[in-house]
Amino acid sequence: MLTVLFAASDANWAEYAAPLRHAFAESGLDATLTREADPQAVDYIVYAPSSPLQDFAPYTRCKAVLSLWAGVERIVGNPTLTQPLCRMVDPALTEGMVEWVVGHTLRHHLGMDRHIVNPSRLWDPTCPPLARERPVAMLGMGELGLACARALAALNFPVTGWSRTPKQGTGIPCLHGQAGLEQALRTAQIVVTLLPKTPDTENTLNARSLALLPQGAVILNPGRGALIDDEALLAALDAGHIGHATLDVFRTEPLPQDHPFWTHPRVTVTPHIAADTRAPSASRVIAANIRRGEAGEPFLNRVDRTRGY
Ligand code: NDP
Ligand code: OXD
């Protein structure tokens, strides 16, 4: 009998206890899911940042820590964590992110606000260009970025990806390195940031890189707040160089009430809802990884701690 410790908030427990138990049974795992256990008896830890668990050292038998979150910046640097760490790759989370990115891209591409909020009843028959005339830069071409890039490309947006390592064979042209970033930004009218937060990605969009964008470009950030230098973004918005920023993630969450993003006319704030991990599908992913661990197979979605993601 395996012992699986659930280290996450009460709300997470209410959402996940039944789907996890169901997924364990479905996978033929003989496992007890619990919120309290002798650390030395724990085989796997299901973890979310809402958990108070910070010291992983006593969990000497634990074979893996399985994150409910895709982004692992709040646990990856924990010096007590010596067990393998796996991040969440959930097909339903990916689906949600594609919907958020496509929806907000189309809002800006079609200029929907002009007609939805039109108190002076202005009859403005200006038509937007076609998607094929609206280049998009997708910063981050991993699980989420690639799915979003493909969805936008299917609508004819010319999408250029950017990743840490060279990437071919995805059907989307992809650049890498500093020169690649600069090339992607120079023509992008819409930029989507789906990078993990690591020391290398902090302030990827800063005064210098924002200045490379064409006048009026739009930023969508469902990645992490730290990918953008807030002050530089506000200055570029004030100057009209950046047309709009739709931001889902922030350096401090919830976004403080007095933060200028709340009231800026060119900023849309969404409260970290771009893509939620969905309990039924995520539980199947967790069960599959435990089954792999028990079969001596390599874990899926294992985090590389030196890279930080
Ligand atoms: P992945 O790990 O699958 O992909 C990360 C991508 O970023 C890869 O393409 C990687 O390049 C690239 N990358 C990493 N470091 C650099 C760098 N220094 N320079 C250029 N590219 C870099 O992550 P996911 O796609 O699953 O998730 C991305 C992020 O989305 C998460 O880390 C999280 O922060 C955020 N997220 C937000 C949610 C929300 O609701 N707002 C929900 C879920 C996730 P390479 O391919 O070469 O490795
Ligand atoms: C995640 C998130 O990383 O929701 O899963 O941001």
Side-chain angles (χ1 to χ4, degrees):
M1 167 80 77
L2 297 169
T3 300
V4 179
L5 179 70
F6 188 84
S9 65
D10 293 348
N12 287 147
W13 177 248
E15 192 185 352
Y16 279 91
L20 276 171
R21 287 185 174 127
H22 180 74
F24 292 168
E26 215 175 42
S27 305
L29 289 172
D30 186 12
T32 298
L33 182 70
T34 174
R35 298 190 79 187
E36 269 183 19
D38 170 6
Q40 290 176 13
V42 169
D43 295 290
Y44 294 90
I45 300 176
V46 175
Y47 176 86
S50 55
S51 167
L53 177 57
Q54 287 298 320
D55 184 5
F56 293 88
Y59 295 87
T60 49
R61 182 167 125 177
C62 174
K63 289 165 234 170
V65 174
L66 307 168
S67 171
L68 290 177
W69 283 48
V72 289
E73 71 279 1
R74 283 156 74 179
I75 181 178
V76 70
N78 185 322
T80 69
L81 181 71
T82 52
Q83 302 85 347
L85 171 65
C86 301
R87 61 189 208 89
M88 178 51 67
V89 173
D90 163 20
L93 181 151
T94 304
E95 210 176 311
M97 185 61 85
V98 167
E99 290 179 13
W100 188 95
V101 168
V102 170
H104 287 279
T105 298
L106 287 176
R107 169 193 171 196
H108 295 296
H109 166 61
L110 295 174
M112 288 180 182
D113 293 11
R114 273 186 306 142
H115 307 297
I116 293 172
V117 185
N118 189 7
S120 46
R121 302 177 190 180
L122 187 67
W123 182 266
D124 174 6
T126 315
C127 267
L130 290 172
R132 67 179 73 252
E133 298 161 308
R134 180 91 67 192
V136 174
M138 185 65 62
L139 308 188
M141 284 284 280
E143 195 62 34
L144 300 177
L146 179 57
C148 293
R150 284 184 167 145
L152 293 174
L155 292 171
N156 286 341
F157 287 100
V159 183
T160 301
W162 182 67
S163 55
R164 190 178 58 85
T165 54
K167 208 168 284 300
Q168 280 163 353
T170 63
I172 307 288
C174 189
L175 303 167
H176 64 280
Q178 185 59 29
L181 175 65
E182 292 176 10
Q183 189 183 329
L185 294 182
R186 275 201 181 92
T187 52
Q189 291 181 24
I190 297 182
V191 180
V192 184
T193 44
L194 268 168
L195 299 159
K197 181 187 172 200
T198 71
D200 289 340
T201 61
E202 187 140 2
N203 294 330
T204 296
L205 293 184
N206 53 34
R208 201 173 152 271
S209 50
L210 288 169
L212 297 172
L213 286 162
Q215 177 83 12
V218 165
I219 314 273
L220 308 183
N221 183 17
R224 283 292 183 263
L227 302 178
I228 304 183
D229 175 339
D230 287 0
E231 296 308 318
L233 175 60
L234 284 164
L237 287 160
D238 287 340
H241 180 63
I242 299 299
H244 200 97
T246 295
L247 310 173
D248 184 61
V249 282
F250 304 91
R251 287 169 188 268
T252 305
E253 294 183 5
L255 184 65
Q257 285 297 311
D258 60 353
H259 197 287
F261 284 156
W262 279 118
T263 49
H264 201 289
R266 294 176 193 267
V267 174
T268 299
V269 170
T270 64
H272 201 144
I273 44 82
D276 204 7
T277 306
R278 310 285 163 148
S281 47
S283 296
R284 286 195 287 274
V285 172
I286 300 273
N289 242 348
I290 295 178
R291 195 204 54 72
R292 291 175 75 92
E294 292 309 293
E297 295 167 16
F299 290 112
L300 299 172
N301 316 316
R302 191 159 168 187
V303 173
D304 177 339
R305 277 183 233 184
T306 54
R307 293 185 324 193
Y309 68 98

